[in-house]
Amino acid sequence: MTSTHVFWLAGRQATGEDTFDVTSPWDGRLVGRASVPSEAQVEEAVATAHAVRDEFAATPAHVRAAALDHVSKRLVERTEEIARLISAENGKPVKWARGEVGRAVSVFRFAAEEARRFNGGEAQRLDTDAGGEGRLALTRRFPKGVVLGIAPFNFPLNLCAHKVAPAIAVGAPIILKPAPATPLSGLILGELLAETDLPVGSWSILPVPNDRMPALVQDERLPVISFTGSDKVGYAIMDSVPRKHCTLELGGNGAAVVLADFASDADLDRAAARIATFSNYQGGQSCISVQRVIADASIHDRLLPRIVAAVEAQVTGDPSDDTTDVGPLVSEDAAKRVESWVDEAVAAGATLLTGGKRDGASYAPTVLTDVPADVTLSCEEVFGPVLTVQRTDGEDEAFAAVNDSKYGLQAGVFTHDLQTAFRAHRALEVGGVVVGDVPSYRADQMPYGGAKQSGVGREGVKFAMDDYTYERVLVLTGLAL
């Protein structure tokens, strides 16, 4: 019998009157049932978080750090169980799910480390002008208030961790809303946090339905919103609350540039293998998966068949099988959308080199060339296992092709030349440039976010902690400096 997963209201287990089923996108089996909080329960969570905000902000760093360390260690102990849960509800191959758990382990560990050294204060002498004689300024950071964290389905544990861990590290209460398609992985964090000594009300994990979120977004007691998801939803949230602080991570259509100097057989083999893997990992459902390959004309004809062969070598199938590279998309509707975009591109003149077939929620790893610039596949984030390849002539044309997008999250540049790397860093309108690899690399401690319509603000533990806090200056007078 499948159990109903409770939610976490002000640090305690709770159930609502309604539930919803969570099913596997691979075979449709019932993975679990999630209990839905009532409006009264959501109000209790918000009111309790708002009431405890001063107490939590004053909680000693060692208490917050110990709680974060505990979660990190418990994630290690439960890695296989949690990875299997992620794979079941998300469709992610279990080998990638294990990697996601490992990343969440690091996120909580980084947050524990940062909690111990964050907000030590910066002293500034003010007697650099005559009017400041005998005065010293001490600047510290304090939480802006309760954080509303809204997480997506594609990394249902780690992106929840990126909301929760920085908030606890700075002493900001958080209400986490996991994605409706994948709530169970986020609710696991509640089990681990409940084993700590954090103040009552400092955290809640509530699988609130999307149609009830506008009221929560508008609530003035939640001054900080951290959202990861689509640009349409993210900017709608920001536009609806212009006086709130919003961090938005909104995705992109990541480009991998392969330049003329990356030309040996070994270079091209490596580039093709990395591109094939990271256009298809997570079923292509990653904001920094490779969607566009921009290949210099001098190496294009040697690289393209290598990419096709490497893509065709990806093992598709049951996500619970350790040998599977590519599982289903999160739903059949998602796969149908990808199918329609590819069909549109082919009808408009694109050449389909491999893939292009759908089976339920699964879509075959796909490579296209000659894709017209005005079709949906060229303009939007596909969020599926689809790759386009285009030929460019020289570095400037390649960089211009990267920038010819409304998105700007990350880009990869395959080159051996250090000067080219620095020119790429200056020229590319993205939040991150990865040299010698695909754009899909993310270290969870580094600043992560985009330019243009890829969002505002930065994630990454320390940078999110800065985002959740503000500077407050203390001026001391009458000192003998």
Side-chain angles (χ1 to χ4, degrees):
M1 182 175 179
T2 303
S3 62
T4 297
H5 293 249
V6 300
F7 56 85
W8 296 90
L9 171 57
R12 71 177 192 277
Q13 291 184 342
T15 56
E17 295 180 357
D18 297 325
T19 63
F20 64 92
D21 292 345
V22 180
T23 58
S24 165
W26 169 247
D27 56 14
R29 68 182 174 87
L30 182 64
V31 178
R33 292 187 175 90
S35 186
V36 180
S38 67
E39 291 186 7
Q41 289 171 317
V42 173
E43 167 59 28
E44 181 183 348
V46 173
T48 307
H50 182 70
V52 81
R53 68 193 189 284
D54 291 339
E55 176 189 346
F56 194 30
T59 301
H62 72 87
V63 174
R64 289 179 273 118
L68 293 162
D69 273 331
H70 174 82
V71 175
S72 181
K73 292 173 183 175
R74 293 285 284 134
L75 286 170
V76 171
E77 294 169 359
R78 297 178 63 177
T79 292
E80 188 64 19
E81 168 203 351
I82 297 172
R84 293 286 172 182
L85 178 61
I86 291 171
S87 181
E89 70 171 345
N90 172 278
K92 179 177 301 192
V94 70
K95 68 180 182 181
W96 291 111
R98 292 189 190 104
E100 180 175 348
V101 179
R103 289 181 59 188
V105 168
S106 295
V107 168
F108 279 94
R109 176 170 55 83
F110 293 146
E113 294 166 356
E114 292 294 345
R116 293 184 172 97
R117 58 178 169 250
F118 185 74
N119 200 25
E122 179 181 345
Q124 181 181 18
R125 62 186 307 156
L126 302 177
D127 62 353
T128 52
D129 286 324
E133 290 184 17
R135 297 178 187 267
L136 180 75
L138 179 66
T139 303
R140 297 167 61 199
R141 301 190 70 89
F142 294 87
K144 294 172 179 173
V146 184
V147 177
L148 173 60
I150 306 173
F153 69 81
N154 57 327
F155 289 86
L157 178 72
N158 195 43
L159 291 182
C160 286
H162 270 285
K163 310 301 181 190
V164 172
I168 292 173
V170 300
I174 181 164
I175 295 174
L176 174 69
K177 178 208 177 302
T182 57
L184 308 182
S185 303
L187 290 170
I188 285 283
L189 292 178
E191 296 180 25
L192 309 185
L193 288 167
E195 298 168 353
T196 71
D197 295 323
L198 294 174
V200 172
S202 57
W203 60 274
S204 293
I205 303 177
L206 307 176
V208 178
N210 287 345
D211 60 2
R212 286 172 48 198
M213 283 303 294
L216 201 54
V217 166
Q218 293 284 340
D219 197 304
E220 294 182 356
R221 295 168 294 180
L222 308 175
V224 179
I225 298 175
S226 178
F227 171 86
T228 302
S230 73
D231 55 341
K232 180 180 179 180
V233 175
Y235 284 121
I237 289 173
M238 176 176 277
D239 291 344
S240 73
V241 286
R243 291 177 177 82
K244 288 195 178 191
H245 179 88
C246 293
T247 298
L248 307 177
E249 197 280 282
L250 305 179
N253 54 0
V257 178
V258 186
L259 293 175
D261 70 297
F262 214 80
S264 72
D265 287 341
D267 284 342
L268 296 179
D269 286 344
R270 179 178 184 277
R274 297 293 288 175
I275 287 165
T277 296
F278 288 97
S279 64
N280 295 291
Y281 85 128
Q282 328 290 338
Q285 298 169 123
S286 168
C287 301
I288 46 178
S289 65
V290 183
Q291 182 171 333
R292 299 181 290 153
V293 175
I294 298 165
D296 190 84
S298 65
I299 52 89
H300 174 277
D301 292 348
R302 295 168 58 215
L303 176 65
L304 183 57
R306 286 173 159 89
I307 290 175
V308 173
V311 167
E312 290 178 342
Q314 297 287 299
V315 177
T316 62
D318 185 346
S320 67
D321 189 327
D322 281 352
T323 65
T324 297
D325 299 312
V326 187
L329 276 71
V330 72
S331 67
E332 186 169 356
D333 284 344
K336 287 180 177 178
R337 177 190 55 76
V338 172
E339 179 182 42
S340 70
W341 289 13
V342 173
D343 290 349
E344 176 200 24
V346 172
T351 301
L352 178 67
L353 299 179
T354 191
K357 297 179 181 179
R358 182 181 66 82
D359 181 9
S362 296
Y363 195 80
T366 298
V367 181
L368 303 102
T369 60
D370 308 312
V371 179
D374 59 348
V375 299
T376 308
L377 191 60
S378 294
C379 302
E380 302 294 336
E381 179 180 35
V382 66
F383 227 59
V386 177
L387 183 65
T388 68
V389 183
Q390 70 181 99
R391 182 195 309 260
T392 54
D393 188 7
E395 175 187 304
D396 290 344
E397 187 175 317
F399 292 170
V402 175
N403 291 338
D404 187 19
S405 169
K406 67 179 182 179
Y407 298 111
L409 187 49
Q410 292 198 161
V413 181
F414 287 91
T415 181
H416 295 295
D417 187 81
L418 185 61
Q419 292 297 329
T420 299
F422 277 96
R423 286 194 296 270
H425 195 210
R426 178 178 293 277
L428 298 180
E429 298 167 351
V430 295
V433 177
V434 183
V435 175
D437 206 351
V438 292
S440 315
Y441 175 77
R442 177 184 180 182
D444 291 285
Q445 72 271 39
M446 77 182 191
Y448 178 74
K452 299 189 283 189
Q453 292 189 36
S454 286
V456 295
R458 291 293 181 268
E459 290 188 343
V461 175
K462 177 182 181 298
F463 303 91
M465 291 167 68
D466 287 340
D467 218 37
Y468 292 169
T469 57
Y470 69 98
E471 294 174 321
R472 187 186 299 167
V473 177
L474 174 70
V475 177
L476 302 173
T477 305
L479 304 177
L481 296 176

